[in-house]
Coordinates of all heavy atoms in Angstrom, one line a residue:
M1 N 0.9 -1.2 0.0 CA 0.0 0.0 0.0 C 0.9 1.2 0.0 O 1.6 1.5 0.9 CB -0.9 0.0 1.2 CG -1.9 1.0 1.3 SD -3.2 0.6 2.5 CE -3.0 2.0 3.6
T2 N 0.8 2.0 -1.1 CA 1.6 3.2 -1.1 C 0.8 4.4 -1.0 O 1.2 5.5 -0.6 CB 2.5 3.3 -2.4 OG1 1.6 3.1 -3.5 CG2 3.6 2.2 -2.4
E3 N -0.5 4.3 -1.5 CA -1.4 5.4 -1.5 C -2.3 5.2 -0.3 O -2.8 4.1 -0.1 CB -2.2 5.5 -2.7 CG -1.5 6.0 -3.9 CD -1.5 7.5 -4.0 OE1 -2.6 8.1 -4.1 OE2 -0.4 8.1 -4.0
P4 N -2.6 6.2 0.5 CA -3.6 6.0 1.6 C -5.0 5.7 1.0 O -5.3 6.1 -0.1 CB -3.6 7.3 2.3 CG -3.1 8.3 1.4 CD -2.2 7.6 0.5
T5 N -5.8 5.0 1.7 CA -7.2 4.7 1.3 C -8.0 6.0 1.5 O -7.8 6.7 2.5 CB -7.7 3.6 2.2 OG1 -7.0 2.4 1.9 CG2 -9.2 3.3 1.9
I6 N -8.9 6.2 0.6 CA -9.9 7.3 0.7 C -11.0 6.9 1.7 O -11.8 6.0 1.3 CB -10.5 7.7 -0.6 CG1 -9.4 8.2 -1.6 CG2 -11.5 8.8 -0.4 CD1 -9.8 8.3 -3.0
A7 N -11.0 7.5 2.9 CA -12.1 7.1 3.8 C -13.4 7.8 3.4 O -14.4 7.2 3.6 CB -11.6 7.5 5.2
S8 N -13.2 9.0 2.9 CA -14.4 9.8 2.5 C -13.9 10.9 1.6 O -12.8 11.4 1.8 CB -15.1 10.3 3.7 OG -16.2 11.2 3.3
K9 N -14.8 11.4 0.7 CA -14.4 12.5 -0.1 C -14.9 13.8 0.5 O -15.1 14.8 -0.3 CB -14.9 12.3 -1.5 CG -14.1 11.2 -2.2 CD -14.4 11.1 -3.7 CE -13.6 10.0 -4.3 NZ -14.0 9.7 -5.7
E10 N -15.2 13.8 1.8 CA -15.6 15.0 2.5 C -14.9 15.1 3.8 O -14.7 14.0 4.4 CB -17.1 15.0 2.7 CG -18.0 15.2 1.5 CD -19.5 15.2 1.8 OE1 -19.8 15.1 3.0 OE2 -20.2 15.3 0.9
P11 N -14.5 16.3 4.2 CA -13.9 16.3 5.6 C -14.9 16.0 6.7 O -16.1 16.0 6.4 CB -13.4 17.8 5.6 CG -14.4 18.5 4.8 CD -14.7 17.6 3.6
I12 N -14.3 15.7 7.8 CA -15.2 15.4 9.0 C -15.0 16.5 10.0 O -13.9 16.8 10.4 CB -14.7 14.0 9.6 CG1 -14.9 12.9 8.5 CG2 -15.5 13.7 10.9 CD1 -14.4 11.6 8.9
A13 N -16.2 17.0 10.5 CA -16.2 18.1 11.5 C -16.0 17.5 12.8 O -16.7 16.5 13.2 CB -17.5 18.9 11.4
V14 N -15.0 18.0 13.6 CA -14.8 17.5 15.0 C -14.6 18.7 15.9 O -14.1 19.7 15.5 CB -13.5 16.6 15.1 CG1 -13.7 15.3 14.3 CG2 -12.3 17.3 14.6
D15 N -15.0 18.5 17.1 CA -14.8 19.5 18.2 C -13.5 19.3 18.9 O -13.4 18.3 19.6 CB -16.0 19.5 19.1 CG -17.3 20.0 18.5 OD1 -17.3 20.9 17.6 OD2 -18.3 19.4 18.8
L16 N -12.5 20.1 18.6 CA -11.2 20.0 19.2 C -11.2 20.8 20.5 O -11.7 21.9 20.6 CB -10.1 20.5 18.3 CG -10.0 19.8 16.9 CD1 -8.9 20.4 16.1 CD2 -9.8 18.3 17.1
Q17 N -10.5 20.2 21.5 CA -10.3 20.9 22.8 C -8.9 21.4 22.9 O -7.9 20.6 22.7 CB -10.6 19.9 23.9 CG -12.0 19.3 24.0 CD -13.1 20.4 24.2 OE1 -12.9 21.2 25.1 NE2 -14.2 20.3 23.5
A18 N -8.7 22.6 23.3 CA -7.4 23.2 23.4 C -6.5 22.3 24.4 O -7.0 21.9 25.5 CB -7.4 24.6 24.0
G19 N -5.3 22.0 24.0 CA -4.4 21.3 24.8 C -4.5 19.8 24.6 O -3.6 19.0 25.1
E20 N -5.6 19.3 24.0 CA -5.8 17.9 23.8 C -4.9 17.4 22.6 O -4.8 18.1 21.6 CB -7.2 17.6 23.4 CG -8.3 17.2 24.4 CD -8.0 16.2 25.4 OE1 -7.8 15.0 25.0 OE2 -7.9 16.5 26.6
T21 N -4.4 16.2 22.7 CA -3.6 15.6 21.5 C -4.5 14.6 20.9 O -5.1 13.7 21.5 CB -2.3 15.0 22.0 OG1 -1.5 16.1 22.6 CG2 -1.6 14.4 20.8
Y22 N -4.6 14.7 19.6 CA -5.4 13.8 18.8 C -4.5 13.0 17.8 O -3.4 13.5 17.4 CB -6.4 14.6 18.0 CG -7.4 15.3 18.8 CD1 -7.0 16.7 19.2 CD2 -8.6 14.8 19.3 CE1 -7.9 17.4 20.1 CE2 -9.4 15.5 20.1 CZ -9.1 16.8 20.5 OH -9.9 17.5 21.3
H23 N -4.9 11.8 17.5 CA -4.1 11.0 16.5 C -4.9 10.8 15.2 O -5.8 10.0 15.2 CB -3.7 9.7 17.2 CG -2.7 9.9 18.3 ND1 -3.1 10.1 19.6 CD2 -1.4 10.0 18.3 CE1 -2.0 10.3 20.3 NE2 -1.0 10.2 19.6
W24 N -4.5 11.6 14.3 CA -5.3 11.6 13.0 C -4.8 10.5 12.1 O -3.6 10.2 12.0 CB -4.9 13.0 12.3 CG -5.5 13.1 10.9 CD1 -6.8 13.4 10.6 CD2 -4.8 13.0 9.6 NE1 -7.0 13.5 9.2 CE2 -5.8 13.2 8.6 CE3 -3.5 12.7 9.3 CZ2 -5.4 13.2 7.3 CZ3 -3.2 12.7 8.0 CH2 -4.1 12.9 7.0
C25 N -5.8 9.7 11.6 CA -5.5 8.6 10.7 C -5.0 9.1 9.4 O -5.6 9.9 8.7 CB -6.8 7.8 10.5 SG -6.7 6.5 9.2
S26 N -3.8 8.6 9.0 CA -3.2 9.0 7.7 C -3.4 7.9 6.7 O -3.2 8.1 5.5 CB -1.7 9.3 7.9 OG -1.0 8.1 8.3
C27 N -3.7 6.7 7.1 CA -3.8 5.5 6.2 C -5.2 5.4 5.6 O -5.4 4.8 4.5 CB -3.5 4.2 6.9 SG -4.7 3.6 8.1
G28 N -6.2 5.9 6.2 CA -7.6 5.9 5.7 C -8.3 4.6 6.1 O -9.5 4.4 5.7
L29 N -7.7 3.7 6.8 CA -8.4 2.4 7.1 C -9.1 2.4 8.4 O -9.9 1.5 8.7 CB -7.3 1.3 7.2 CG -6.5 1.1 5.9 CD1 -5.4 0.1 6.1 CD2 -7.5 0.6 4.8
S30 N -8.9 3.4 9.3 CA -9.6 3.5 10.6 C -11.1 3.4 10.4 O -11.7 4.1 9.6 CB -9.2 4.7 11.3 OG -9.9 4.8 12.5
Q31 N -11.7 2.7 11.3 CA -13.2 2.7 11.4 C -13.7 3.9 12.3 O -14.9 4.1 12.5 CB -13.7 1.4 12.0 CG -13.4 0.2 11.1 CD -14.0 0.3 9.7 OE1 -15.2 0.5 9.6 NE2 -13.1 0.2 8.7
K32 N -12.7 4.6 12.9 CA -13.1 5.7 13.8 C -12.6 7.1 13.2 O -12.0 7.9 13.8 CB -12.4 5.6 15.1 CG -12.9 4.4 15.9 CD -12.3 4.3 17.3 CE -12.8 3.1 18.1 NZ -12.1 2.9 19.3
Q33 N -12.9 7.2 11.9 CA -12.4 8.5 11.2 C -13.0 9.7 11.9 O -14.1 9.7 12.4 CB -12.9 8.4 9.7 CG -12.3 7.3 8.9 CD -10.8 7.6 8.7 OE1 -10.3 8.7 8.7 NE2 -10.1 6.5 8.6
P34 N -12.1 10.8 11.9 CA -10.8 10.9 11.2 C -9.7 10.4 12.1 O -8.5 10.7 11.7 CB -10.7 12.4 10.9 CG -11.4 13.0 12.2 CD -12.5 12.1 12.5
F35 N -9.9 9.7 13.2 CA -8.9 9.4 14.1 C -8.4 7.9 13.9 O -9.1 7.1 13.4 CB -9.3 9.6 15.5 CG -9.8 11.0 15.8 CD1 -11.1 11.4 16.1 CD2 -8.8 12.1 15.6 CE1 -11.5 12.7 16.3 CE2 -9.2 13.4 15.8 CZ -10.5 13.7 16.1
C36 N -7.2 7.7 14.4 CA -6.6 6.4 14.3 C -7.2 5.4 15.2 O -7.5 5.7 16.3 CB -5.1 6.5 14.6 SG -4.2 5.0 14.7
D37 N -7.4 4.1 14.7 CA -7.9 3.1 15.6 C -6.9 1.9 15.6 O -7.3 0.8 16.0 CB -9.3 2.6 15.2 CG -9.3 1.8 13.8 OD1 -8.3 1.8 13.2 OD2 -10.4 1.3 13.5
G38 N -5.7 2.1 15.0 CA -4.7 1.0 15.0 C -4.7 0.2 13.7 O -3.9 -0.7 13.6
S39 N -5.6 0.5 12.8 CA -5.8 -0.3 11.6 C -4.6 -0.2 10.6 O -4.4 -1.0 9.7 CB -7.0 0.1 10.8 OG -8.2 -0.2 11.6
H40 N -3.7 0.8 10.9 CA -2.5 1.0 10.0 C -1.4 0.0 10.3 O -0.4 0.0 9.6 CB -1.9 2.4 10.3 CG -1.5 2.6 11.7 ND1 -2.3 3.1 12.7 CD2 -0.3 2.3 12.2 CE1 -1.6 3.0 13.8 NE2 -0.4 2.6 13.6
K41 N -1.6 -0.8 11.3 CA -0.6 -1.7 11.8 C 0.2 -2.4 10.7 O 1.4 -2.5 10.8 CB -1.3 -2.8 12.7 CG -0.5 -3.7 13.4 CD -1.2 -4.4 14.6 CE -2.6 -4.9 14.3 NZ -2.6 -6.2 13.7
D42 N -0.4 -2.9 9.7 CA 0.3 -3.7 8.7 C 0.6 -2.8 7.4 O 0.9 -3.4 6.3 CB -0.5 -4.9 8.3 CG -0.6 -5.9 9.4 OD1 0.4 -6.0 10.2 OD2 -1.7 -6.5 9.6
T43 N 0.6 -1.5 7.6 CA 0.9 -0.6 6.4 C 2.1 0.2 6.8 O 2.7 0.1 7.9 CB -0.3 0.3 6.2 OG1 -0.3 1.3 7.2 CG2 -1.6 -0.4 6.1
E44 N 2.6 1.0 5.8 CA 3.7 1.9 6.1 C 3.3 3.2 6.7 O 4.1 4.1 7.0 CB 4.5 2.2 4.9 CG 3.9 3.0 3.8 CD 3.3 2.2 2.7 OE1 2.8 1.1 2.9 OE2 3.4 2.7 1.5
F45 N 2.0 3.4 7.0 CA 1.5 4.6 7.5 C 1.5 4.6 9.0 O 1.3 3.6 9.7 CB 0.0 4.8 7.0 CG 0.0 5.1 5.5 CD1 -0.3 4.0 4.7 CD2 0.2 6.3 5.0 CE1 -0.4 4.2 3.3 CE2 0.1 6.5 3.6 CZ -0.1 5.5 2.8
T46 N 1.6 5.8 9.6 CA 1.5 6.0 11.0 C 0.6 7.2 11.3 O 0.5 8.1 10.4 CB 2.9 6.3 11.7 OG1 3.5 7.3 11.0 CG2 3.8 5.0 11.6
P47 N -0.1 7.2 12.4 CA -1.0 8.4 12.7 C -0.2 9.6 12.9 O 1.0 9.6 13.3 CB -1.7 7.9 13.9 CG -0.8 6.9 14.6 CD -0.1 6.2 13.5
L48 N -0.8 10.8 12.7 CA -0.2 12.1 13.0 C -0.7 12.6 14.3 O -1.9 12.7 14.5 CB -0.6 13.1 11.9 CG -0.2 14.5 12.1 CD1 1.3 14.7 11.7 CD2 -1.1 15.5 11.5
A49 N 0.2 12.8 15.3 CA -0.2 13.4 16.5 C -0.4 14.9 16.4 O 0.5 15.6 15.9 CB 0.8 13.1 17.6
Y50 N -1.5 15.4 16.8 CA -1.8 16.8 16.6 C -2.4 17.4 17.9 O -3.4 16.8 18.5 CB -2.8 17.1 15.5 CG -3.3 18.5 15.5 CD1 -2.5 19.5 14.9 CD2 -4.5 18.9 16.0 CE1 -2.9 20.8 14.9 CE2 -4.9 20.2 16.0 CZ -4.1 21.2 15.4 OH -4.5 22.5 15.5
T51 N -1.8 18.4 18.5 CA -2.3 19.0 19.7 C -3.0 20.3 19.4 O -2.4 21.2 18.8 CB -1.1 19.3 20.7 OG1 -0.4 18.0 21.0 CG2 -1.6 19.9 22.0
A52 N -4.2 20.3 19.7 CA -5.1 21.5 19.4 C -4.6 22.7 20.2 O -4.3 22.6 21.4 CB -6.5 21.2 19.7
E53 N -4.5 23.9 19.5 CA -4.1 25.1 20.2 C -5.3 25.8 20.7 O -5.1 26.7 21.6 CB -3.3 26.0 19.2 CG -1.9 25.4 19.0 CD -1.2 26.0 17.8 OE1 -1.7 27.0 17.2 OE2 -0.2 25.5 17.3
E54 N -6.4 25.6 20.1 CA -7.6 26.3 20.7 C -8.8 25.3 20.6 O -8.8 24.4 19.8 CB -7.9 27.6 19.9 CG -7.9 27.4 18.4 CD -8.2 28.7 17.7 OE1 -9.0 29.5 18.2 OE2 -7.6 28.9 16.6
T55 N -9.8 25.6 21.4 CA -11.0 24.8 21.3 C -11.9 25.4 20.2 O -12.2 26.6 20.1 CB -11.8 25.0 22.7 OG1 -10.9 24.4 23.7 CG2 -13.1 24.2 22.6
K56 N -12.2 24.5 19.2 CA -12.9 24.9 18.1 C -13.4 23.7 17.3 O -12.9 22.6 17.5 CB -12.1 25.8 17.2 CG -10.9 25.1 16.6 CD -10.2 26.0 15.5 CE -9.0 25.2 14.9 NZ -8.3 25.9 13.9
T57 N -14.3 24.0 16.4 CA -14.7 23.0 15.4 C -13.8 23.0 14.2 O -13.5 24.1 13.7 CB -16.2 23.2 15.0 OG1 -17.0 23.2 16.1 CG2 -16.6 22.1 14.0
A58 N -13.2 21.9 13.9 CA -12.3 21.8 12.8 C -12.7 20.8 11.8 O -13.4 19.8 12.1 CB -10.9 21.5 13.3
Y59 N -12.3 21.0 10.5 CA -12.7 20.0 9.5 C -11.4 19.2 9.1 O -10.5 19.8 8.5 CB -13.2 20.8 8.3 CG -14.6 21.3 8.6 CD1 -14.7 22.6 9.2 CD2 -15.8 20.6 8.4 CE1 -15.9 23.1 9.6 CE2 -17.0 21.1 8.8 CZ -17.0 22.4 9.4 OH -18.3 22.9 9.8
L60 N -11.4 18.0 9.6 CA -10.2 17.1 9.4 C -10.4 16.3 8.1 O -11.5 15.9 7.7 CB -10.0 16.2 10.6 CG -9.9 16.9 11.9 CD1 -9.3 15.9 13.0 CD2 -8.9 18.1 11.9
C61 N -9.3 16.1 7.4 CA -9.2 15.4 6.1 C -9.6 14.0 6.3 O -9.1 13.3 7.2 CB -7.8 15.6 5.6 SG -7.6 14.6 4.1
A62 N -10.5 13.5 5.4 CA -10.8 12.1 5.4 C -10.4 11.4 4.1 O -10.4 10.2 4.0 CB -12.3 12.0 5.6
C63 N -10.1 12.2 3.1 CA -9.6 11.6 1.8 C -8.1 11.2 1.9 O -7.6 10.5 1.1 CB -9.9 12.5 0.6 SG -8.7 13.9 0.5
K64 N -7.5 11.8 2.9 CA -6.1 11.5 3.2 C -5.1 12.0 2.1 O -4.0 11.6 2.0 CB -5.8 10.0 3.5 CG -6.8 9.4 4.4 CD -6.9 10.1 5.8 CE -8.0 9.5 6.7 NZ -8.1 10.3 7.9
R65 N -5.6 13.0 1.4 CA -4.7 13.6 0.3 C -4.3 15.1 0.7 O -3.7 15.7 -0.1 CB -5.4 13.6 -1.0 CG -5.8 12.2 -1.5 CD -4.6 11.3 -1.7 NE -4.9 10.0 -2.4 CZ -5.5 9.0 -1.8 NH1 -5.8 9.0 -0.5 NH2 -5.6 7.9 -2.5
T66 N -4.8 15.5 1.8 CA -4.5 16.9 2.2 C -3.0 17.2 2.3 O -2.2 16.3 2.7 CB -5.2 17.3 3.5 OG1 -4.9 18.7 3.8 CG2 -4.7 16.5 4.7
K67 N -2.6 18.4 1.9 CA -1.2 18.8 2.1 C -1.0 19.5 3.5 O 0.1 19.9 3.9 CB -0.7 19.8 1.0 CG -0.9 19.2 -0.4 CD 0.3 18.3 -0.7 CE 0.3 17.9 -2.1 NZ -0.8 17.0 -2.5
G68 N -2.1 19.7 4.2 CA -2.1 20.5 5.4 C -2.6 19.6 6.6 O -3.5 20.0 7.3
Q69 N -2.1 18.4 6.7 CA -2.5 17.4 7.7 C -2.6 18.1 9.1 O -1.6 18.8 9.5 CB -1.6 16.2 7.8 CG -1.5 15.5 6.5 CD -0.5 14.4 6.5 OE1 0.2 14.2 7.5 NE2 -0.5 13.6 5.5
P70 N -3.6 17.8 9.9 CA -4.7 16.9 9.7 C -5.9 17.6 9.0 O -7.0 17.0 8.9 CB -5.0 16.4 11.1 CG -4.8 17.7 11.9 CD -3.6 18.4 11.3
F71 N -5.8 18.9 8.6 CA -6.9 19.6 8.2 C -7.2 19.4 6.7 O -6.3 19.3 5.9 CB -6.7 21.1 8.5 CG -6.5 21.4 9.9 CD1 -5.2 21.6 10.4 CD2 -7.5 21.3 10.8 CE1 -5.0 21.8 11.7 CE2 -7.3 21.5 12.2 CZ -6.0 21.7 12.7
C72 N -8.5 19.5 6.4 CA -8.9 19.5 5.0 C -8.3 20.7 4.2 O -8.4 21.9 4.7 CB -10.5 19.6 4.9 SG -11.1 19.7 3.2
D73 N -7.8 20.5 3.0 CA -7.3 21.6 2.2 C -8.0 21.6 0.9 O -7.6 22.3 -0.1 CB -5.8 21.5 2.0 CG -5.4 20.4 1.1 OD1 -6.2 19.6 0.7 OD2 -4.2 20.4 0.7
G74 N -9.1 20.9 0.8 CA -9.9 20.8 -0.5 C -9.4 19.8 -1.5 O -9.9 19.8 -2.6
S75 N -8.4 19.1 -1.2 CA -7.8 18.1 -2.1 C -8.8 17.1 -2.6 O -8.7 16.5 -3.7 CB -6.6 17.3 -1.5 OG -5.5 18.2 -1.3
H76 N -9.9 16.8 -1.8 CA -10.9 15.8 -2.1 C -11.6 16.2 -3.4 O -12.2 15.4 -4.0 CB -11.9 15.6 -1.0 CG -12.6 16.8 -0.6 ND1 -12.1 17.7 0.3 CD2 -13.8 17.3 -1.0 CE1 -13.0 18.7 0.5 NE2 -14.0 18.5 -0.3
K77 N -11.6 17.5 -3.7 CA -12.3 18.0 -4.9 C -11.7 17.4 -6.2 O -12.3 17.4 -7.2 CB -12.4 19.5 -4.9 CG -13.2 20.0 -3.8 CD -13.3 21.5 -3.9 CE -14.0 22.1 -2.6 NZ -13.3 23.3 -2.1
D78 N -10.4 17.0 -6.1 CA -9.7 16.6 -7.3 C -9.8 15.0 -7.5 O -9.2 14.5 -8.4 CB -8.3 17.0 -7.3 CG -8.1 18.5 -7.3 OD1 -9.0 19.2 -7.9 OD2 -7.2 19.0 -6.7
L79 N -10.5 14.4 -6.5 CA -10.5 12.9 -6.6 C -11.7 12.4 -7.4 O -12.7 13.0 -7.6 CB -10.6 12.3 -5.2 CG -9.4 12.7 -4.3 CD1 -9.7 12.2 -2.8 CD2 -8.1 12.0 -4.8
Ligands
FES1 FE1 -5.0 5.0 9.9 FE2 -3.9 4.5 12.3 S1 -5.7 3.6 11.5 S2 -3.2 5.8 10.8

């Protein structure tokens, strides 16, 4: 597996809490999108640890093609 799996072609809105660390799924296989559930185990992908700087609603990438991980950058529009 060299390309991540497309979990969804739309970002997922999540409520981030300031100071909390989240593990964003980069492989696309997690059943708990957009977060890692360990499904990357047999792939070359690893989750991205992201600590929220502020409490807010954020749109996290689910197509796994964003250049601004873990946030959606609109890359899903080209899929
Ligand atoms: Fe996708 Fe962990 S399940 S990075």
Side-chain angles (χ1 to χ4, degrees):
M1 188 163 116
T2 52
E3 288 274 301
T5 296
I6 298 168
S8 172
K9 290 186 180 176
E10 289 182 2
I12 298 171
V14 294
D15 293 322
L16 300 179
Q17 299 294 318
E20 268 310 295
T21 297
Y22 300 89
H23 293 88
W24 177 78
C25 168
S26 65
C27 72
L29 297 175
S30 173
Q31 298 300 305
K32 293 184 180 170
Q33 294 294 331
F35 303 116
C36 174
D37 72 353
S39 297
H40 62 269
K41 186 161 48 83
D42 297 324
T43 74
E44 70 258 38
F45 295 95
T46 53
L48 173 85
Y50 172 76
T51 302
E53 285 165 14
E54 53 180 322
T55 297
K56 64 173 182 180
T57 300
Y59 292 85
L60 301 194
C61 172
C63 75
K64 313 304 176 185
R65 302 301 190 276
T66 182
K67 301 281 188 292
Q69 300 177 353
F71 302 104
C72 173
D73 72 351
S75 292
H76 60 273
K77 293 182 188 135
D78 298 328
L79 297 172

